[in-house]
Amino acid sequence: MSSRIDEANREALERVLKSRPVLKTIAIARDVIPGMDENTLLHAGPPITWDRMSGPVRGAVIGALLLEGRASTPEEAAELAASGKIRFDSCHHHQAVGPMAGLISPSMPVYVVENETYGNRAYATLNEGYGKVLRYGAYDEEVLNRLRWMANTMAPVLKAAIEAVGGIDLKAMMAQAIHMGDEGHNRNKAGSALFLRALAGAIARNAPDAETAAQVLEFMAGNELTFLNPVMAACKATMDAAHGIEGSTMVTAMARNGTDFGIRVSGLGDRWFTAPSKVPDGLYFPGFGPEHANPDVGDSTITETAGIGGFAMAAAPAIVQFIGGTPEMALEATHEMYEITLGENEAFGIPHLNFRGTPTGIDIRKVVETGIVPRINTGIAHKEPGIGQIGAGLVQPPMECFIQAVEAMAEALG
Amino acid sequence: MSSRIDEANREALERVLKSRPVLKTIAIARDVIPGMDENTLLHAGPPITWDRMSGPVRGAVIGALLLEGRASTPEEAAELAASGKIRFDSCHHHQAVGPMAGLISPSMPVYVVENETYGNRAYATLNEGYGKVLRYGAYDEEVLNRLRWMANTMAPVLKAAIEAVGGIDLKAMMAQAIHMGDEGHNRNKAGSALFLRALAGAIARNAPDAETAAQVLEFMAGNELTFLNPVMAACKATMDAAHGIEGSTMVTAMARNGTDFGIRVSGLGDRWFTAPSKVPDGLYFPGFGPEHANPDVGDSTITETAGIGGFAMAAAPAIVQFIGGTPEMALEATHEMYEITLGENEAFGIPHLNFRGTPTGIDIRKVVETGIVPRINTGIAHKEPGIGQIGAGLVQPPMECFIQAVEAMAEALG
């Protein structure tokens, strides 16, 4: 049985390593995301109902309903959300991913990423920047106006620019960013600068006027998380290609909805293995502490699932200034992840480890055997809606998810 | 005597560490560089006459005379250069620095960098990119047309953009780039992306039309050495502020003219201590080898003089793919440089060394005592004019320069 699993895992890992995610264009969610309709709202993590949603996810739902014109006050929006008329579903069920609350509503523009090796696609929204933003559950006029500007002004320009440059090879750009101190999850400073660099000329050429070009460029220049969302879609397109291989014990998704932490496994179909999401450990912004923190939330753990983020910490020592710890601990984090993964991604070489590839392909068996859970970098959301990010740090996925999955695999394989 | 030197060195180092170079604008060389006139050509390194110039420097002189309209053929230009009618002088004698041949002719646009702490200024040309370029001695029509476009089209847009953003704090940007895997000499990939990011919006807003904005942005995006020249001017503005402190044994300039390697020392006035320049060790582009290489050339060693470049190798492990060696050797290079320097620049923290500052302020006494010469990263020029870069690697400055300087200091101090 072990050799049958090993063979399945070899194939699953190979599909991860051979994937080539390319950013093709930007489109409107309702036009491209399978199964998306006017009454659907997608959210991060495993499926969850309104009554169990945490503050920031509820805030983002309220904001999305206001944005869509389905309600005119937050109270109306909350009432509609609770009415049963809105279908909530996981981004992951629709080839999509979203950071933090991960809300995708029908009118939002999304990046369209294609895995050119296997032909599958993945989608992610455009990053809103810092502070009070929808993904942290904020929904005031400033937040909604920014989203409107992004949809009406920025997205068409970016779409034209992306198409004008013939798409962006995200895997190659991520590899460069890892050589430049990014880990691709909490730190996307280099990647965001490279992304801007790749598009700047085409943005100037394709904007309706100079002022619009300048505003789009300045918005991107001011947001070092610009590249996070394309990276997440790239990781999703990669891991989806490795999903559904019978007998494989490789994790293909880790995601949190702010209440539950869930994982999916290549050989275990569409089932989620869930347990309560924990509060991250990390550095808090002034005036905030763990008592204000929401349990961990977001689909951005797709980065760790694909072998970057916390797994590539050794490439990103400067991140410890943001999430706490020392550069030595960053090296150790990556070294530890080699113990629970199936292989290494040579495309993502870590310079300080002599270009050794990042640890890639979490094996649920190794997690349970070693007792080592995946290392996850994360942002920390305030537990009340409408406030936003209050820190950044590390979070431990619950071991129960991996134990459940191992048990399910044992059952499946008889 | 030793305590008198130590005190002078403390002051010299303090001036380096307290310097704050800011890019203020772009201007035409003849309008801003002190002592520049229509018959002056500035070059890299210590002073040198036409008859002793190496191939790439001669090629750059020929190109500059063609560019200035002082000759209509390369032969005419060479004749004029040999006639005695052109005054050749070191960039360093005019508050300026130039990479490789380092040619600055009167009509060229230059970055204007001000050391806001001490009020002195420094100048450097705009980087031309790779391949056949003037700084490697190429002078065909393609090279000259590019320089004309840079002067007539790019420079005015960049000037307006730099002024529109209120200047650029180069020290802060260099610090960020060092956190992103640059060492600031051979690797300026992160810095160039950050520089583009800082100016992109203002370029779009200030260009005469969208196509010009796009072309300027694309030129900068295609050149990962864009940031080298502002960095060099920043280092020059920093080291000039520490020059002229009686009794100080700190090196304030290291520079090569392609024939001689020269250094200047804070307490030893304007004198150069020179010895023959060596051929770098490194990786050659396909089809080239050491037999094609010119002796080391350029003012870019001002980066190492200021404590980055080869001294910051530990921050830039990915550079070994370009210049040879291993990431381990990169760490060792920085560790070794702590042995010959007066202090550490906390502004330039190296993440993998737990943010320890780069080794800064070369002490000629320590070099002679330890036998350790400064570590220099460099590009390799073909020895014939007009060909260009053929590799990149490391070069050893001649120990004789440091011995001469120590002897001169002993004499000066009685």
Side-chain angles (χ1 to χ4, degrees), chain B residues 259 261 275-280 294-297 373 395-400:
Chain B
T259 304
F261 191 108
S277 188
K278 299 180 188 175
V279 169
N294 200 70
D296 193 33
V297 60
V373 290
V395 73
Q396 292 228 326
M399 180 57 91
E400 302 92 286

Side-chain angles (χ1 to χ4, degrees), chain B residues 64 72 89 223 225 230 275 367 380:
Chain B
S72 47
D89 202 6
N223 181 12
L225 292 174
V367 172
I380 306 174

Side-chain angles (χ1 to χ4, degrees), chain B residues 145-158:
Chain B
N145 282 336
R146 187 192 302 117
L147 288 168
R148 288 180 192 115
W149 177 82
M150 288 171 67
N152 299 330
T153 304
M154 179 171 166
V157 174
L158 263 189

Side-chain angles (χ1 to χ4, degrees), chain B residues 72-258:
Chain B
S72 47
T73 65
E75 295 69 28
E76 262 183 51
E79 208 172 300
L80 175 60
S83 71
K85 288 179 188 153
I86 299 298
R87 178 175 70 130
F88 296 109
D89 202 6
S90 295
C91 291
H92 267 291
H93 294 179
H94 298 264
Q95 298 173 219
V97 277
M100 303 310 289
L103 248 289
I104 307 180
S105 64
S107 72
M108 286 183 183
V110 290
Y111 291 113
V112 178
V113 171
E114 184 169 314
N115 184 335
E116 292 202 337
T117 314
Y118 299 103
N120 61 302
R121 291 192 159 196
Y123 309 94
T125 49
L126 278 55
N127 197 285
E128 310 160 77
Y130 317 112
K132 285 209 282 184
V133 286
L134 189 79
R135 71 179 187 281
Y136 278 92
Y139 53 72
D140 68 16
E141 268 308 297
E142 182 192 337
V143 174
L144 301 182
N145 282 336
R146 187 192 302 117
L147 288 168
R148 288 180 192 115
W149 177 82
M150 288 171 67
N152 299 330
T153 304
M154 179 171 166
V157 174
L158 263 189
K159 172 190 168 71
I162 292 164
E163 292 178 0
V165 302
I168 290 180
D169 182 337
L170 293 174
K171 189 175 192 176
M173 195 171 277
M174 289 155 70
Q176 290 181 68
I178 287 169
H179 279 194
M180 296 166 74
D182 280 3
E183 41 71 271
H185 183 173
N186 270 18
R187 189 171 164 102
N188 275 293
K189 180 172 184 162
S192 297
L194 294 176
F195 188 67
L196 170 64
R197 185 181 82 170
L199 293 172
I203 288 171
R205 198 176 276 119
N206 287 281
D209 54 71
E211 184 54 28
T212 302
Q215 285 177 12
V216 170
L217 289 164
E218 284 165 355
F219 185 84
M220 293 172 72
N223 181 12
E224 295 185 348
L225 292 174
T226 292
F227 196 47
L228 171 62
N229 299 34
V231 165
M232 286 175 58
C235 292
K236 172 67 173 163
T238 297
M239 300 316 292
D240 273 2
H243 190 72
I245 294 166
E246 202 185 322
S248 171
T249 56
M250 192 179 81
V251 177
T252 50
M254 297 194 289
R256 315 86 91 195
N257 58 31

Side-chain angles (χ1 to χ4, degrees), chain A residues 176 189 205 218 352, chain B residues 176 189 205 211 218 352:
Chain A
Q176 292 181 68
K189 180 171 183 162
R205 197 176 277 118
E218 285 165 353
H352 265 292
Chain B
Q176 290 181 68
K189 180 172 184 162
R205 198 176 276 119
E211 184 54 28
E218 284 165 355
H352 265 292

